[in-house]
Amino acid sequence: MSDSIGQTYRDHRENLRTILEISYERYNQIKNINNQILAIIAAIFVGLFTISITFFTSAITINDFFILIGIHALIVTLLIWRYYSHIIDNELVSCYKRILYCEEKLDIPFEISIAAWLEKNIEFELPPPKKGSVELSRKKKYVELDNTRKNWVIQKLIDHNKCGYRFHNIWDKTVGYVIFTLLVYQLYFLLINFSLFIDVYFSAAIYIPIAYIIALWGLTRDFKNNIIIQRDAKNEELEKIIEEVVALKE
């Protein structure tokens, strides 16, 4: 009797240790993202401040080159930040998958599991679908699945890099607008100082900006998973994955 109780108690403590380990792993991933954002925001502020001071205190010709270099340094910094943020995000999502697996094995109630939170992130619950719509039909199929198969749906979405943006899309678009503004300012700056930059005009005004546009396109568009970034799943993709899991049930 006591052995049975002791074994149950040890199992309970081991389960708690496992959950704690998983929670700390997720916490560390989120903390890393936060640290990167703070560091890059600080770098952006310093860059903008430097460009402003250089522009308004410019008294000699050499400072004009510093302005041009500063603009491109800021743009490259912004792009590196966004791509690195997505790399960190992919690490975070791989952590989600391990948590989902452990929670399923440990019989953690679905209501307090990470799967319940991810449902909202993948937009199964937001916004309320219209009556008779494809979204309502899909949601009904998903809700009727047991918790294990709901986990399977989410894990399949993770595998297909369709686990949502977690607001990264907003940051990506914001960076896109900032870069566009900087490039317009650079073009104006090059035109009013054309004689100074005649040798580098086409590179600075056309060729390099094209490279920036391609990089931004990779952040905002899905090239059939050639650029591994977690994105929102389309209706057809959600439908296909849910159908696959429903078929497994049968």
Side-chain angles (χ1 to χ4, degrees):
M1 179 74 172
S2 60
D3 287 343
S4 174
I5 294 173
Q7 181 65 36
T8 302
Y9 177 71
R10 285 197 296 272
D11 287 346
H12 178 67
R13 286 181 62 84
E14 188 59 36
N15 288 347
L16 287 177
R17 284 196 197 97
T18 304
I19 294 170
L20 187 62
E21 238 174 50
I22 294 167
S23 299
Y24 267 112
E25 185 179 7
R26 180 169 177 249
Y27 166 77
N28 287 330
Q29 294 288 348
I30 294 172
K31 186 173 70 173
N32 285 338
I33 293 175
N34 185 54
N35 290 341
Q36 292 299 325
I37 289 175
L38 287 176
I40 296 301
I41 286 177
I44 291 169
F45 174 80
V46 170
L48 286 170
F49 182 78
T50 303
I51 290 173
S52 300
I53 293 298
T54 304
F55 178 77
F56 289 112
T57 62
S58 180
I60 55 176
T61 305
I62 191 67
N63 281 350
D64 294 331
F65 289 94
F66 288 147
I67 293 172
L68 196 61
I69 291 169
I71 289 172
H72 288 279
L74 182 54
I75 291 175
V76 170
T77 301
L78 286 167
L79 288 171
I80 290 173
W81 167 43
R82 293 315 309 143
Y83 273 96
Y84 193 68
S85 292
H86 283 291
I87 291 171
I88 293 293
D89 186 56
N90 286 335
E91 290 296 319
L92 184 62
V93 170
S94 68
C95 179
Y96 289 159
K97 188 166 183 180
R98 292 193 294 272
I99 294 173
L100 285 167
Y101 177 80
C102 292
E103 284 182 341
E104 184 182 343
K105 296 299 180 184
L106 291 169
D107 268 340
I108 303 300
F110 189 82
E111 294 73 20
I112 62 171
S113 70
I114 197 172
W117 178 80
L118 285 173
E119 277 185 355
K120 296 178 182 179
N121 193 57
I122 301 170
E123 297 186 353
F124 281 115
E125 296 183 359
L126 300 173
K130 295 179 181 178
K131 186 176 180 181
S133 66
V134 174
E135 290 83 0
L136 183 62
S137 173
R138 184 191 70 225
K139 182 175 178 180
K140 184 173 183 295
K141 289 177 188 175
Y142 175 78
V143 169
E144 289 174 351
L145 295 173
D146 58 50
N147 291 340
T148 298
R149 285 173 172 78
K150 285 181 181 179
N151 272 352
W152 290 357
V153 170
I154 296 171
Q155 288 185 27
K156 279 178 175 289
L157 287 169
I158 290 172
D159 290 338
H160 287 78
N161 305 316
K162 300 295 180 182
C163 194
Y165 282 104
R166 282 159 298 285
F167 302 107
H168 285 292
N169 56 334
I170 295 174
W171 279 110
D172 292 344
K173 289 175 183 176
T174 302
V175 165
Y177 293 135
V178 171
I179 290 176
F180 177 76
T181 302
L182 287 169
L183 290 176
V184 170
Y185 169 73
Q186 179 203 235
L187 183 59
Y188 165 77
F189 184 75
L190 288 171
L191 288 173
I192 64 174
N193 296 281
F194 186 77
S195 59
L196 293 174
F197 298 104
I198 190 169
D199 293 333
V200 297
Y201 179 82
F202 286 102
S203 294
I206 300 174
Y207 303 132
I208 295 177
I210 287 174
Y212 295 152
I213 291 168
I214 292 172
L216 284 170
W217 188 267
L219 287 171
T220 57
R221 293 290 182 270
D222 189 357
F223 295 106
K224 296 183 178 178
N225 284 342
N226 288 329
I227 297 177
I228 301 175
I229 288 175
Q230 296 297 328
R231 306 176 191 273
D232 287 331
K234 297 176 182 176
N235 284 332
E236 311 81 59
E237 292 165 333
L238 283 170
E239 184 72 28
K240 182 179 178 182
I241 288 173
I242 292 171
E243 287 292 346
E244 287 176 5
V245 173
V246 170
L248 289 174
K249 184 179 179 181
E250 297 169 353

